[in-house]
Each structure stands twice: as C-alpha cells, then as structure tokens.
Amino acid sequence: MAENKGKTDSIRMSMQGCRTNNGFVHNEDILEKDPDPGSRLDGAVAVLGPVEPDLKDIRPYAGMPKEVLFQFSGQARYRLPREVLFWLTVASVFVLIGATIAIIAVSPKCLDWWQAGPMYQIYPRSFKDSDMDGNGDLKGIQEKLDYITTLNIKTIWITSFYKSSLKDFRHGVEDFREIDPIFGTMKDFENLVAAIHDKGLKLIIDFIPNHTSDKHAWFQLSRTRTGKYTDYYIWHDCTRENGITVPPNNWLSVYGNSSWHFDEVRNQCYFHQFMREQPDLNFHNPDVQEEIKEIIQFWLTKGVDGFSFDAVKFLLEAEHLRDEAQVNKTQIPDTVTHYWELYHDFTTTQVGMHDIVRSFRQTMDQYSREPGRYRFMGIEAYGESIDRTMMYYGLPFVQEADFPFNNYLSELNAPSGNSVFEVITSWMETMPEGKWPNWMIGGPDRARLTSRLGAEYVNIMNMLVFTLPGTPITYYGEEIGMRNILVTNLNESYDVDTLFSKSPMQWDNSSNAGFSEASHTWLPTSSDYHTVNVDVQKTQPRSALKFYQELSLLHVNELLLSRGWFCYLRNNSHSVVYTRELDGIDRVFLVVLNFGESSPLNLKEMVPNIPTRASIRLSTSFADKGGEVDTHDILLDKGEGLVLEYNTKNLLHHQTAFRDRCFVSNRACYSSTLNLLHSLC
C-alpha cells in the first residue's frame, strides 16, 4: 500500500515538474518504462483515465498530451475568448464586404483616360523631320515625346499617315494597312506606339472610311468589274456628248462642280463627294462594311487606343438618285456649281448612317474588354448643325462616339464675350445628359488662333478651354502661339487655303526652326520663329508656353476643373464669367475672361455671398498671380483672364436662381474625411 502510494506521488511530482520544465516531456513514454504493470495501470488511470484529474492548480505546458490539452480547451476561460474571436472575425469579414459593396455603389464613374487630360493633335508631316528629307515623320514624333509630356498631355492624336497620293492632304488613301514612305515604315509606327505607351500616354489616329484613292486596289478591281469588288464603289450609267459628261443628277462635290466622273475603263460614272481622285465607297454593300471593320481591327491589334473618324456624314447616299433642291430656286440649274448652292438632303446624314457608325463602335468594344484598354471613338462632324452633331453621342442605351469633336471655337473670327458664351452654352445645353464635352481652338484645316484673333488672345483662349468642363484639345504649336504662313510656289496639288496652319513646328531659332536639317522643307517656316519657338519660351517665365504648362497642370490636379459643376454668371460684348465648383469642397474657382475693351466688373452683383477679396490662382498677366482682387471692382484689359479662388459653403448649383445655368457631366461629391469621391450628393 505504501509502495503504491509512493508511485502515485512520484507521478504527481513528475506532472508538477513538467510545469517548470522548458523542454518537451512525454508522459506516455515515462509510464511505458515502469517495470511494474500494476503500477503503470494505476498511474495511467490517475492521469488519463475516465476520472478527470484536478486541473485547478495546473497551467498548460509545452508538450502536454492532447487528452490533457482537450481538458484545458474545454474550460470556459479558454473556450469563450476563442468563440468571441471567431465571431468577431466573421463579423469583420461581413463588414468589409459590406463596406466594399457600399463604396462601389456610391462611387461615381471614374474618368477614363480620354477624359482625364488634354489631347495633343499632330500633323505628322510638319512636326519633326528625323531623316533630313524636309518632311516630318514618325521617328520625329518619337524624338519629341519628352517635350509632349512636359505639357501634361494624356493623349496624342496623329492625323492621316496612310499610304496615299498628295491629293487633299492624304485623305485619298491608297492602302489603309500601309504607312506612307514619307512618314517611315510599319516598324517605325510600332516603335512609336510602344514609346508612347512607355510614357504613360495614349494614341488615337485619323481614319476616313468614306472614300479611297482612285489608285486603291479595290477601285482598280471595281472598274474592271472583278468579283465582289464590282459594287465596292457607286457606279451609274451616264452619257457622253461631244466629250462632255452628262451626269445622272445634279449632285455636287464639296469642292464644286459635279460629283460624278466618267471612267473610260468601266464606261460608267463613279460618285465622289470630294476630289475626283477620291471615289466614294458603297456602304450599302455589306462587304464594304466588313472591309472597314477589318481595317479597324488591324490598327487596334497594332496597339492604337482609338480613332478619329472623319467625313462620316457622307457614308451613305440616297439610292433613288433624285436631284437635290437648290437654295435659290430661281437660279438657272446649269449655273449651280458650288456646294453651298444645294440642300444636301440626299447625300449626307442618310437613314442608316448612324447604324454603320455604331457598328464601328461595336467592333472597337471587342478590344476594350481588357482593364485599362478602353478604345476611344471620336467623330469629326464639321459643318453639321449643333443638333445633328449631338446625334453622334448615340442614344441613351446605344453607345456611339465618346464625343464628336467640338470645333465651334475654332470658327470664331471676331471674338467677343457674347460669341464665346453662345458657343459654350449651345454645346452644354444641347449635349445629352451624362455625356462628356470637349473644346478645341484650332486644327489642320483651320486658320491658327494667332492669325484669326491676334497674339493677345493666345493665353485667354487656352485658359478658356482648360477651365471649361470636358477634354481640352490642342493643335500642335498653339501652346507657343504659332501663326499662319503665307504659301507661294507650291509644286503639289493642294487647296492653298488649308496650308496656312500646317507650317513646321518651331522648336528653336536654328535653321528651319529646328524642324529639319534639310536644305528645303515641304513648307516654309514662319518668319517669327526666332522669337516664337519652344527653346526660347521654356526659359521665359512669362511666355505662352509657361502659361500653357501652368494651365494644364492646374487642370490635372484640381477636381474642381476635372469633375466640378460649371455655372455661367454673365456675358456681354466684352466678357464671360463662370464658376467651377464641387460638392464637398468649400472652394470655388471663378473664371473671368475679357475679350473686348477694358471694362469694370462687379462680381458682388453676380455672385451672392462672394467675399470682398478673392485670391488670384492664375492670371494671363502673370504679375497678378498669388495676389488678391477686390470683387466689387475688377478691371481687365483686352485679352486678359483670371482664375479667382474663394471659400464658400453656398455653392451656386444648389441655388434656385442658378439651377438653369449650371451643368455637370458626371456628378460627383468629395469627402474630405475619407479623401474620396462619392455620388451621395
């Protein structure tokens, strides 16, 4: 009896010893070494048997048997914290999921790359010559990408570079899948795309699907009635009398005279809305539509981020071929030779044209499925009324263009507060709800801003397009105030009037303005290139280039400009005044632009609760930047503009009196607490 009691005490002592032992003690092994079977059985019952041991004074220890561990884990003081932790984890997961769903639900739509920053339009033959032949090229554009990034540009837009004749500025394409040798090779293009993307930029290119060159392989096969190409163009019987073609109707070319031309090979007339070297494709033919879609896919595969589709209103013509009505009904029909002398009801914007454009959109959407690779679609709708232009945005549930290009500011030849105001409000009031606007003040087929309006309007017009809601678009050279040239002695067939704005980019004051090292360039440089060039202006603190860079930087960094409301306050023959504001931000930008003679403005009369003093965030005069103005009395000189900033909680778009004067494309509100945008305004 004493012997058994001693062995039991020994086992208990071993258990107590395990409490202070830092090593691993395997009790089972110890018990197995007991030579006395009876004693081993008694000990096993004492520790692991059905009678639970008294664990009151024992703490968990390293290496304890799982049977003992289970005894501890079942105690309330261990079980309850474990269960609480488990349910807290479950609750946290549900809270995180709910918060994520809530954030997604209340977050406004993010701005896409074509909305987030300016576009920069390049006429490639005039930007930079890399091979000393006097013509700009693709390698030249690649050499100047670092400069483009200093302008805070997000998207580069390159006009037509396809293999083509020189007719009509390369709009008569001979092969849509080839680069014209003047601009380089397909390898040069692929390298340019890669370099643009490496800079974090995007690329869109021109595409003119309405017509081809008469040297295109399709046309050569069509005029010989070869296979499916027989009806790729619009052919019709016509008569020849004494060497003179009698067309099937009175339709006119954009450039004047009949839009029908007799082809001696096919012995029929073909239709051309532009030059006779540019026959119109027959988009009533499904095979033609498929060909164009395959070309779109070809360039998207090359890495292009989007297209600017030109001349789409001409895609379809009425098949009945009836005469179009004369503007002046009393005019003798044989004397009607100018395009503007007819109403073009049968040759533009025909039923089904928008369906074709939407099919282009659907083709591009197939390449927009990868995150971050949305493909942009713009439409050049020049010459259309504002109502017809807006139709290119599409329908509420049918996407078409991301936006039609807005060239109305580039048509202003005599700026005034009223004319600028009319352009702004006509677009904003007519634009479908939720769509995105854009603004441009020049282009390759428009006279340059400096030549149209004067050098004093360069900064104020750039301030206008960068402070309006939407995407600002800059034609190369506008950032330094380039002007038109006077063109003489051209050896190429061009409409001279459209050459003035295509002069070589002015990089420095060296020979040919740094555009080319050739002895002769395709167009002469402007005579003012010694003072109006990039190298000079980047060192001048008050230059047009420096001001442009400040404007573009402000546009990129300020939510008020990229996402905010636009509210117009006043316009007259001299000035335009508007605000940019955003819910959740207690700051307001107030933009004052003066296009006429000096005239005082009292902002207190226009804006309720505006402070007596407002700070100058940006000024075209430079000297005023960082100062303050008295809002009772502001006097601006001709061509001067201000971006003022003041604090207020009374935003105008919430006030009944201004509700009809305020516009926003993608509504958003800012939370300063969470530092994020939301839609719970």
Side-chain angles (χ1 to χ4, degrees):
M1 190 71 177
E3 183 179 357
N4 291 340
K5 182 177 181 303
K7 289 185 177 183
T8 301
D9 292 342
S10 176
I11 292 175
R12 289 176 179 172
M13 290 175 65
S14 297
M15 290 179 61
Q16 292 177 353
C18 289
R19 292 164 53 190
T20 58
N21 186 359
N22 292 327
F24 290 94
V25 179
H26 298 283
N27 293 8
E28 293 88 345
D29 293 342
I30 295 172
L31 295 176
E32 288 175 358
K33 294 178 182 179
D34 192 334
D36 186 347
S39 298
R40 188 170 75 77
L41 180 61
D42 292 344
V45 171
V47 178
L48 302 174
V51 180
E52 295 186 7
D54 184 7
L55 303 176
K56 181 177 180 181
D57 297 326
I58 301 176
R59 295 194 302 271
Y61 55 88
M64 69 170 60
K66 62 181 180 181
E67 292 84 355
V68 178
L69 180 61
F70 288 154
Q71 293 293 329
F72 281 106
S73 64
Q75 294 180 6
R77 59 176 174 171
Y78 297 110
R79 185 183 71 254
L80 290 178
R82 186 170 65 248
E83 292 179 354
V84 170
L85 184 61
F86 170 78
W87 289 112
L88 282 176
T89 302
V90 171
S92 299
V93 170
F94 279 107
V95 168
L96 288 174
I97 293 173
T100 302
I101 294 173
I103 290 174
I104 294 173
V106 303
S107 294
K109 183 180 178 182
C110 295
L111 295 184
D112 219 320
W113 55 264
W114 51 273
Q115 300 170 306
M119 292 184 177
Y120 192 74
Q121 186 182 21
I122 295 174
Y123 192 74
R125 197 176 182 189
S126 299
F127 196 62
K128 184 67 173 72
D129 173 23
S130 70
D131 56 6
M132 296 185 295
D133 66 349
N135 296 286
D137 46 49
L138 298 178
K139 285 185 177 180
I141 296 175
Q142 186 172 343
E143 289 177 7
K144 293 300 182 178
L145 289 181
D146 285 337
Y147 164 74
I148 293 174
T149 59
T150 67
L151 303 178
N152 302 299
I153 298 296
K154 300 296 183 184
T155 304
I156 295 175
W157 170 10
I158 302 179
T159 61
S160 182
F161 51 76
Y162 307 103
K163 183 179 180 181
S164 62
S165 65
L166 296 179
K167 298 293 183 182
D168 197 19
F169 300 101
R170 314 203 156 274
H171 289 173
V173 177
E174 294 179 15
D175 192 334
F176 286 107
R177 291 181 172 88
E178 289 292 334
I179 305 292
D180 195 285
I182 283 182
F183 301 121
T185 64
M186 184 61 74
K187 184 63 176 177
D188 293 334
F189 179 80
E190 292 168 351
N191 290 339
L192 175 60
V193 173
I196 286 174
H197 289 163
D198 285 345
K199 297 288 184 183
L201 306 175
K202 300 292 185 179
L203 172 65
I204 64 174
I205 62 175
D206 270 1
F207 187 29
I208 307 95
N210 177 69
H211 51 263
T212 71
S213 166
D214 58 358
K215 295 181 175 61
H216 198 290
W218 298 345
F219 186 76
Q220 297 303 317
L221 292 169
S222 185
R223 69 198 306 219
T224 57
R225 303 176 189 265
T226 302
K228 68 175 184 178
Y229 299 101
T230 301
D231 295 322
Y232 261 43
Y233 296 83
I234 301 166
W235 297 94
H236 203 275
D237 292 333
C238 55
T239 59
R240 296 274 289 176
E241 297 178 359
N242 300 322
I244 299 175
T245 301
V246 179
N249 57 29
N250 72 341
W251 294 356
L252 296 177
S253 162
V254 170
Y255 295 117
N257 298 315
S258 176
S259 57
W260 296 95
H261 183 74
F262 181 75
D263 181 70
E264 294 180 354
V265 174
R266 180 153 168 161
N267 202 32
Q268 280 186 309
C269 282
Y270 64 83
F271 179 70
H272 61 91
Q273 297 246 39
F274 296 91
M275 291 185 172
R276 66 181 179 86
E277 294 88 356
Q278 299 167 308
D280 274 40
L281 287 165
N282 179 17
F283 271 87
H284 291 291
N285 186 340
D287 289 336
V288 171
Q289 296 187 33
E290 287 304 312
E291 289 273 13
I292 296 300
K293 292 176 187 177
E294 288 176 7
I295 294 168
I296 293 172
Q297 293 172 337
F298 173 83
W299 290 105
L300 292 176
T301 303
K302 291 290 183 182
V304 167
D305 298 293
F307 291 94
S308 165
F309 289 95
D310 198 1
V312 296
K313 72 176 182 180
F314 301 103
L315 290 179
L316 290 177
E317 300 78 27
E319 294 183 279
H320 53 62
L321 301 184
R322 291 198 296 266
D323 283 352
E324 293 187 314
Q326 296 180 192
V327 174
N328 181 3
K329 295 182 179 179
T330 63
Q331 186 175 356
I332 300 173
D334 290 343
T335 66
V336 177
T337 59
H338 295 96
Y339 190 71
W340 49 266
E341 292 177 326
L342 292 179
Y343 293 109
H344 303 286
D345 298 327
F346 302 146
T347 54
T348 62
T349 321
Q350 297 298 291
V351 174
M353 180 272 290
H354 282 280
D355 293 330
I356 295 174
V357 177
R358 289 171 196 142
S359 72
F360 298 164
R361 169 79 271 171
Q362 292 166 3
T363 300
M364 296 172 66
D365 284 343
Q366 297 172 9
Y367 290 79
S368 299
R369 295 168 181 168
E370 182 182 347
R373 290 307 306 275
Y374 180 80
R375 307 306 175 105
F376 168 82
M377 179 176 176
I379 297 291
E380 296 188 58
Y382 299 155
E384 295 274 37
S385 67
I386 188 68
D387 292 328
R388 284 193 171 186
T389 299
M390 293 301 157
M391 293 175 66
Y392 291 103
Y393 275 112
L395 302 173
F397 299 103
V398 181
Q399 175 73 11
E400 199 165 327
D402 292 298
F403 54 63
F405 290 102
N406 178 357
N407 71 312
Y408 291 99
L409 286 174
S410 66
E411 296 177 347
L412 292 179
N413 294 318
S416 69
N418 288 332
S419 60
V420 170
F421 169 80
E422 183 178 352
V423 170
I424 297 170
T425 54
S426 63
W427 191 278
M428 299 302 292
E429 291 177 352
T430 315
M431 185 177 66
E433 184 178 356
K435 297 300 182 180
W436 191 256
N438 68 100
W439 313 92
M440 54 199 306
I441 54 179
D445 298 322
R446 298 288 186 274
R448 285 193 175 273
L449 173 68
T450 304
S451 298
R452 283 188 292 117
L453 309 182
E456 67 270 27
Y457 288 104
V458 171
N459 287 344
I460 192 175
M461 291 300 288
N462 280 326
M463 177 177 278
L464 174 68
V465 297
F466 272 96
T467 56
L468 289 173
T471 300
I473 302 171
T474 297
Y475 182 53
Y476 82 97
E478 285 176 353
E479 71 274 18
I480 60 174
M482 281 177 57
R483 68 182 185 185
N484 285 359
I485 56 169
L486 298 177
V487 181
T488 57
N489 300 325
L490 284 175
N491 296 323
E492 299 172 282
S493 299
Y494 283 110
D495 178 0
V496 175
D497 292 339
T498 59
L499 278 174
F500 301 144
S501 62
K502 296 182 173 70
S503 59
M505 178 66 178
Q506 295 162 203
W507 295 105
D508 54 44
N509 56 14
S510 65
S511 176
N512 297 323
F515 162 72
S516 174
E517 297 179 12
S519 59
H520 177 75
T521 57
W522 84 282
L523 281 180
T525 54
S526 179
S527 59
D528 65 354
Y529 78 88
H530 289 286
T531 55
V532 181
N533 66 67
V534 172
D535 268 6
V536 167
Q537 292 196 12
K538 70 182 181 182
T539 61
Q540 295 175 342
R542 301 180 64 176
S543 67
L545 177 60
K546 285 290 187 182
F547 184 71
Y548 182 95
Q549 290 171 326
E550 288 193 51
L551 273 172
S552 59
L553 190 62
L554 185 71
H555 183 272
V556 168
N557 292 333
E558 282 288 351
L559 284 173
L560 292 176
L561 296 180
S562 61
R563 300 300 297 254
W565 286 78
F566 163 82
C567 298
Y568 66 85
L569 302 178
R570 176 182 172 180
N571 67 283
N572 54 32
S573 60
H574 301 298
S575 61
V576 173
V577 183
Y578 53 89
T579 63
R580 301 301 309 278
E581 55 191 42
L582 183 68
D583 290 294
I585 297 180
D586 296 336
R587 293 181 297 115
V588 170
F589 283 162
L590 192 151
V591 183
V592 185
L593 307 174
N594 187 47
F595 296 93
E597 300 301 324
S598 297
S599 59
L601 289 174
N602 186 348
L603 299 180
K604 278 283 191 180
E605 295 178 352
M606 305 181 202
V607 186
N609 305 315
I610 188 173
T612 304
R613 309 287 295 177
S615 60
I616 300 174
R617 185 64 182 268
L618 208 56
S619 170
T620 57
S621 68
F622 297 95
D624 296 332
K625 182 182 176 182
E628 290 187 339
V629 296
D630 185 347
T631 54
H632 285 94
D633 185 19
I634 295 180
L635 184 64
L636 297 182
D637 292 330
K638 183 178 181 179
E640 188 176 358
L642 294 174
V643 178
L644 304 178
E645 184 178 17
Y646 62 90
N647 295 326
T648 182
K649 293 184 180 295
N650 299 314
L651 302 182
L652 296 184
H653 68 273
H654 289 304
Q655 301 179 30
T656 304
F658 293 91
R659 193 160 296 167
D660 294 335
R661 302 194 215 170
C662 296
F663 305 92
V664 69
S665 292
N666 293 329
R667 187 169 184 175
C669 315
Y670 177 71
S671 171
S672 57
T673 303
L674 300 176
N675 190 28
L676 56 77
L677 289 169
H678 60 91
S679 58
L680 298 178
C681 304

